[in-house]
DNA sequence: AAATAAATCCCCCTAAAAGGGGTATAATTT
DNA sequence: AAATTATACCCCTTTTAGGGGGATTTATTT
């Protein structure tokens, strides 16, 4: 009979980690490592014939890094799930990876055997994440409680960040365009900026909006 | 000696579920239910004396719903973790809850005993989520692959969504402002809109940006 | 009761931006 | 060969943005 094991490809430049994951996966009943590569550049020409169900991808790779490899992987193998395995846990890296198509994200300090569960989970359409990643992701949705902006100013700036102009904002908030203007002036003063783009940037960077 | 168990409050209008969770929690070694309420409106005046470490919150509640209760809860008890427990798994509801300060999010079809792990996890600063929620959250970061916009148009629209004007965009992309204008015209035409705000709205709704 | 903060509204001004209409060329990709 | 993409320019009018100024009302807090 044909094996129904999940086909796994590992792209990771650290030999020890690569062998560790491979050992674990090959000793699990549900998965088998069909190939390992030390960089995306080495992997890309073989992936089509490897036909992986799941790719374990490191971020810090020689040549093309994992973040940049993701869109290419997704284009090459649209139905393959990609789980990122990395030491990076900065919000920027995590969100970037997810935006680029990562289906799961684990930091390497995560208990090793969890990767087996993660493979199961991702093939069932889940989005496996380690605890600290989940925290980062959740925190990325949350606003800063110490915003200098008032409730109304925050509302105005959010509408502004949706590309709306003064009159559209005025209409939506049932106030005059002149009032909107005043709010904007106060926002600029509080954020120490003097343009729409800067106000949105500063507010986003600080999660005021 | 003083108990070090985590103090849990349940806000849930379904008696059966409430009792089920309470039973599980009270039989775990690490947590104890200090109070249960059938609505946020009933809960709010008692929460200060309940001093919960974790609140399990339903979304569909009589009176103030869970989404709206979240900011109020966070204001009242800034150091209390809130785990949302609900049948709602629409992207909108989930992201709304997270934006409003939820520290975890579980749908009720999740294995019941997982809530004990979730309480542990959230108190350790994690962001526990059920599989389908994690999937939704991860998907919320991902772009639609079927965008009608070209790469360049997408770039332009993203910069636009950052509040940048034509000249700022031109500078950033090393092209002329007139070229930016052409891209914008083509974007409008493809998205069938004729304003900045509408183009950003449509593109976001469809995850083109 | 007084002070502060927040939200509302109005005036002036100028430069820039937005949006709609065209057209055109070089490079890619199909 | 044909289509797509990215680039750039022209015309035009209306609107917006940002900087100045000042004022009123309503909450909230002290």
């Amino acid at each position: 009979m044909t094996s129904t094991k999940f086909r796994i490809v590992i792209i990771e430049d650290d030999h020890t980690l690569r062998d560790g994951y491979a050992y674990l996966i090959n000793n699990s009943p549900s998965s088998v490592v069909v190939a390992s590569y030390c960089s995306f550049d080495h992997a890309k020409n073989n992936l089509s014939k490897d036909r992986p169900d799941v790719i374990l991808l490191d971020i810090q790779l020689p040549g093309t890094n994992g973040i940049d490899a993701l869109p290419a992987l997704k284009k090459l193998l649209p139905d393959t799930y990609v789980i990122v395995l990395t030491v990076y846990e900065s919000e920027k890296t995590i969100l970037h990876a997810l935006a680029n198509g990562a289906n799961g994200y684990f930091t390497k300090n995560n208990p090793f055997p969890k990767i087996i569960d993660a493979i199961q989970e991702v093939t069932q359409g889940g989005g496996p994440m380690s605890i600290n990643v989940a925290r980062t992701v959740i925190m990325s949705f949350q606003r800063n409680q110490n915003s200098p902006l008032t409730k109304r100013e925050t509302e105005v700036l959010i509408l502004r960040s949706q590309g709306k102009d003064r009159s559209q904002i005025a209409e939506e908030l049932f106030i005059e365009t002149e009032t909107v203007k005043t709010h904007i002036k106060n926002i600029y003063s509080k954020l120490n900026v003097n343009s729409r783009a800067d106000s949105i940037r500063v507010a986003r960077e600080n999660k005021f909006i």
Side-chain angles (χ1 to χ4, degrees), chain A:
Chain A
M1 95 183 220
T2 310
S3 167
T4 54
K5 286 193 176 190
F6 293 121
R7 302 168 63 83
I8 315 295
V9 161
I10 304 174
I11 306 177
E12 160 72 59
D13 64 329
D14 184 306
H15 293 244
T16 316
L17 278 169
R18 215 162 69 192
D19 295 348
Y21 287 124
Y23 177 82
L24 264 172
I25 291 164
N26 285 327
N27 280 285
S28 83
S30 56
S31 313
V32 59
V33 175
V34 292
S36 293
Y37 302 98
C38 60
S39 78
F40 172 69
D41 304 307
H42 282 97
K44 61 184 170 196
N45 297 120
N46 300 306
L47 286 170
S48 296
K49 71 159 183 24
D50 291 336
R51 304 192 327 276
D53 298 300
V54 178
I55 295 173
L56 305 186
L57 179 69
D58 189 17
I59 294 290
Q60 192 176 31
L61 289 171
T64 310
N65 71 55
I67 300 280
D68 295 334
L70 267 162
L73 278 175
K74 284 284 155 183
K75 195 173 178 186
L76 202 62
L77 304 162
D79 299 324
T80 296
Y81 298 103
V82 179
I83 297 175
V84 171
L85 291 170
T86 176
V87 291
Y88 292 103
E89 39 185 286
S90 73
E91 176 167 320
K92 201 172 171 183
T93 309
I94 293 172
L95 300 187
H96 227 104
L98 295 179
N100 276 7
N103 302 99
Y105 198 112
F106 278 78
T107 48
K108 284 172 182 166
N109 63 352
N110 203 60
F112 229 61
K114 286 249 177 185
I115 195 61
I116 304 295
D117 298 334
I119 290 170
Q120 280 292 133
E121 203 173 317
V122 83
T123 55
Q124 285 161 30
M129 294 180 250
S130 49
I131 292 182
N132 44 347
V133 173
R135 183 197 54 226
T136 304
V137 168
I138 284 195
M139 281 191 0
S140 81
F141 286 103
Q142 297 179 6
R143 294 230 172 97
N144 188 333
Q145 304 293 296
N146 303 319
S147 172
L149 304 180
T150 68
K151 205 171 164 182
R152 201 54 153 179
E153 286 161 359
T154 306
E155 279 185 281
V156 169
L157 194 45
I158 288 173
L159 292 172
R160 208 129 224 266
S161 77
Q162 294 169 357
K164 290 173 181 159
D165 61 43
R166 292 175 191 171
S167 67
Q168 289 173 311
I169 295 171
E171 211 178 318
E172 204 158 323
L173 299 180
F174 302 106
I175 55 180
E176 298 300 311
T177 59
E178 282 296 333
T179 306
V180 175
K181 198 178 159 186
T182 303
H183 286 309
I184 292 170
K185 281 196 264 192
N186 292 332
I187 291 167
Y188 284 9
S189 155
K190 286 180 180 181
L191 300 187
N192 226 276
V193 298
N194 58 358
S195 75
R196 182 178 56 193
D198 281 345
S199 66
I200 292 172
R201 181 183 50 75
V202 170
R204 286 198 177 141
E205 279 171 2
N206 294 283
K207 292 196 192 303
F208 297 153
I209 57 170

